[in-house]
Amino acid sequence: MKLLTSSNARHGLLRIAVLASLVAAWHFAVVVGQAGGGFIPAPGAVVRALLIWIGLPIGEGGQYAGTWAPAAMASTGRVFAGFLAAAALAIPLGILIGRYRIAADILDPVIQLLRPVPVSAWVPFSMVFFGIKPAAAIFLVAIGTFFPIVLNTIAGARHVSDLHLRSAAMLGASRWRTLTHVILFAAMPSILTGLRVGMGLAWVLVIVAEMVAVKSGLGYELWNSYYYSRMDIIVAVMVSIGVFGFLSDQLILLISRRLLAWHKATDK
Amino acid sequence: MSVADPGKVGETPIVSISDVRVEYGVGADTVLALSNVSLRVLPRTFLTILGPSGCGKSTLLNLVAGFAAPTSGSVLVEGRPVSGPSVRRGVVFQDSAALFPWLSVADNIAFGLRVSGRPREEVERRTAAALELVRLTAFANRYPSELSGGMRQLCAIARALVMEPPVLLMDEPFAALDAMTRERMQAQLVEIWERIHVTIIFITHSVDEAIYLGDEVLVMSGRPGRVLKRLPVNLARPRSPTSAEFNAIKKEALESLAFNPNQVPNKE
């Protein structure tokens, strides 16, 4: 799997140089400059904490040793469960709203009323409704990712070329086949944009939910390590979240490239 | 005016248009696009409709295709009033963007057969035959965006003909092509038409194209579109645009177009 989009070798070197100098600056600020008064961990300490957390047999171990994988898997599972539930609802709904006046008249006001409510404002509600349980996090992710996916799908479905609709009609496609064989594909670039935005939000939301409403996952570990004053673990959690967010985004990009091979060719 | 081919009296026309009037808009903004147009086309005819831009010839085609309805008058195809698009009337649009860009050439051609639920074996056999007919077999797996403009229109022709429609409607399909490609396409279209049983109504604003292709040329006036003249072209194919007979017909066509002081046909 090719993760880096730019194949230019010089860009690759520059990218590594920027990252390395950031880490070096951090190291010197903390170790040499004593920045943070001893509370900020040095990069080396964070890497060490992360490796112990993952489960490598180095040093003391302690309560975190080997608990990384279950936490990471819990959060990832919730991100994908909420994300897939949202997509499964938002894509068909967006196509209906985008194509049918009746659906737009009935559903658009509901969406427009719910959309301005910040997803974080749903936290107390979901805690009451689901309790302090994983379902609360999945719900929050689903609510938050639903809106970018549905809005982008609506936009995509509305802008299907008349030529394609006429082509489908003269080739005998029924209404249903036109939806599944023409409109869905024509809207695909927009849908994938919505999915990508949604996936970015999903990681924000799972961490928020786990900090408050769930007793497991990376968000829970993040808040917990604050109470234990484990700054090295706090930063290790942040690094882990960053990596997972990046990998999820790359996954969506990979799927986009597969599904939109034709679109790339059109762009040329 | 109504013109029946005197040599074939008694044969049932496949397309029959009577006293058609088409208006767009409402109130003072009403535009009269077609006025008092009547036309009968006998089966297996290659009819070209020649007229200046904006004369309503595309409107006329859209009536037969079922994409538009007349304000008054009747449009019958195969003896039945046209009430909407149908697989019995294939359409090739002027813009080759009408092809589905997310489907390969073969899948574009197979689209109509697939959405009407034909068995897989039949879809493959008929798609292969249509690819063969337009000589695109070697490009079956390319996307439309990877083809030249001429090849894209051949794909559009195959996509319509694979459904074996009794009538093929072509709306200036070669207008966007360069002169040399266009000549090649015209020759290839005549070849295709000679191999299969189909009635073609072909819209063009090129006098040469109309005479080169048609059994008959229907000359239309500028807005509001009326039928000015119906010219039979009794020349053996392939025709030579430099022959004396060809130019005699061309003179007649240009003279009838010149009747309308505002209208000058686009010179090639």
Side-chain angles (χ1 to χ4, degrees):
Chain A
M1 193 165 69
K2 217 175 93 181
L3 291 179
L4 302 176
T5 41
S6 166
S7 55
N8 192 312
R10 186 178 297 179
H11 283 186
L13 281 176
L14 278 172
R15 198 170 0 212
I16 292 165
V18 169
L19 197 65
S21 42
L22 265 175
V23 173
W26 171 14
H27 177 83
F28 281 107
V30 172
V31 175
V32 182
Q34 293 294 311
F39 285 106
I40 308 284
V46 170
V47 170
R48 189 181 152 78
L50 183 60
L51 292 177
I52 291 171
W53 188 24
I54 288 171
L56 261 67
I58 46 170
E60 292 291 299
Q63 60 166 326
Y64 281 101
T67 62
W68 181 84
M73 261 150 57
S75 295
T76 308
R78 285 162 202 158
V79 161
F80 280 91
F83 177 81
L84 291 175
L89 190 63
I91 295 172
L93 216 54
I95 285 180
L96 284 181
I97 295 171
R99 291 314 309 178
Y100 293 106
R101 191 59 189 274
I102 306 173
D105 284 348
I106 296 169
L107 297 168
D108 224 22
V110 183
I111 289 177
Q112 297 308 333
L113 275 174
L114 287 177
R115 192 165 66 106
V117 180
V119 193
S120 43
W122 283 90
V123 171
F125 175 86
S126 62
M127 283 169 75
V128 172
F129 199 82
F130 294 100
I132 308 290
K133 290 203 177 85
I138 295 172
F139 172 76
L140 217 62
V141 169
I143 284 274
T145 52
F146 174 81
F147 290 101
I149 301 174
V150 81
L151 293 175
N152 278 286
T153 306
I154 292 171
R158 282 206 176 130
H159 289 104
V160 178
S161 156
D162 212 35
L163 278 174
H164 292 153
L165 297 175
R166 286 184 169 188
S167 296
M170 67 96 182
L171 292 169
S174 63
R175 261 188 182 198
W176 172 247
R177 297 279 181 175
T178 305
L179 276 181
T180 58
H181 283 63
V182 178
I183 293 162
L184 180 65
F185 286 91
M188 197 55 81
S190 288
I191 293 174
L192 286 161
T193 302
L195 291 177
R196 198 172 173 204
V197 175
M199 182 56 91
L201 266 174
W203 277 99
V204 175
L205 295 170
V206 82
I207 299 305
V208 169
E210 286 172 351
M211 286 199 294
V212 186
V214 191
K215 288 212 173 299
S216 59
L218 292 172
Y220 172 75
E221 300 296 351
L222 185 62
W223 206 236
N224 222 24
S225 50
Y226 165 75
Y227 280 123
Y228 288 113
S229 299
R230 285 290 302 271
M231 276 300 283
D232 51 348
I233 295 289
I234 288 180
V235 181
V237 176
M238 290 166 66
V239 169
S240 306
I241 297 165
V243 168
F244 279 111
F246 174 76
L247 290 176
S248 308
D249 189 53
Q250 290 294 324
L251 181 67
I252 302 274
L253 277 181
L254 192 78
I255 294 168
S256 299
R257 250 175 257 142
R258 278 280 162 79
L259 288 178
L260 299 183
W262 60 272
H263 200 246
K264 284 278 153 52
T266 319
D267 286 345
K268 262 180 227 164
Chain B
M1 64 187 268
S2 170
V3 189
D5 192 321
K8 296 175 188 171
V9 174
E11 204 175 339
T12 323
I14 188 161
V15 175
S16 175
I17 298 171
S18 314
D19 301 319
V20 152
R21 181 183 175 86
V22 173
E23 291 170 6
Y24 290 126
V26 280
D29 296 329
T30 303
V31 174
L32 186 59
L34 286 177
S35 167
N36 196 28
V37 173
S38 293
L39 170 68
R40 285 186 214 156
V41 187
L42 295 172
R44 195 76 176 73
T45 305
F46 197 140
L47 177 77
T48 51
I49 298 180
L50 173 67
S53 300
C55 76
K57 52 196 193 298
S58 289
T59 304
L60 188 59
L61 202 78
N62 285 341
L63 294 178
V64 182
F67 297 141
T71 309
S72 65
S74 73
V75 181
L76 301 175
V77 177
E78 298 182 282
R80 282 183 298 274
V82 170
S83 59
S86 158
V87 279
R88 308 284 297 168
R89 281 162 272 129
V91 183
V92 177
F93 300 91
Q94 177 179 350
D95 191 347
S96 63
L99 291 173
F100 303 117
W102 54 86
L103 295 179
S104 68
V105 168
D107 288 336
N108 261 287
I109 295 171
F111 181 93
L113 298 169
R114 289 209 174 109
V115 295
S116 52
R118 302 303 173 109
R120 193 199 188 100
E121 174 277 325
E122 185 189 339
V123 173
E124 279 169 16
R125 178 170 44 81
R126 286 171 67 174
T127 302
L131 278 165
E132 194 69 35
L133 182 70
V134 296
R135 294 195 226 118
L136 281 181
T137 307
F139 299 90
N141 296 318
R142 300 288 185 87
Y143 284 115
S145 57
E146 296 171 316
L147 302 186
S148 68
M151 284 172 160
R152 281 207 287 272
Q153 287 304 56
L154 287 172
C155 177
I157 291 168
R159 179 177 77 162
L161 288 181
V162 78
M163 303 307 290
E164 294 170 5
V167 180
L168 181 66
L169 306 168
M170 306 183 78
D171 188 0
E172 303 195 45
F174 308 145
L177 305 175
D178 65 86
M180 282 175 60
T181 308
R182 184 191 295 204
E183 277 172 29
R184 223 174 40 234
M185 297 287 294
Q186 289 163 353
Q188 204 175 337
L189 178 61
V190 168
E191 213 178 281
I192 291 167
W193 172 75
E194 282 172 340
R195 281 174 63 182
I196 56 170
H197 191 96
V198 67
T199 307
I200 296 183
I201 301 181
F202 186 108
I203 303 276
T204 180
H205 58 247
S206 154
V207 181
D208 278 4
E209 184 168 72
I211 300 168
Y212 179 83
L213 292 173
D215 290 322
E216 293 172 277
V217 179
L218 191 80
V219 185
M220 284 183 68
S221 71
R223 187 172 288 155
R226 291 171 211 272
V227 178
L228 290 175
K229 196 157 203 173
R230 196 162 176 167
L231 294 171
V233 185
N234 295 315
L235 302 177
R237 292 183 173 96
R239 294 168 180 165
S240 161
T242 49
S243 73
E245 298 92 331
F246 194 103
N247 280 289
I249 297 167
K250 189 172 171 179
K251 185 163 176 278
E252 207 175 337
L254 285 168
E255 275 168 2
S256 50
L257 279 166
F259 258 117
N260 256 34
N262 303 330
Q263 308 303 331
V264 180
N266 291 15
K267 294 263 165 59
E268 290 315 306

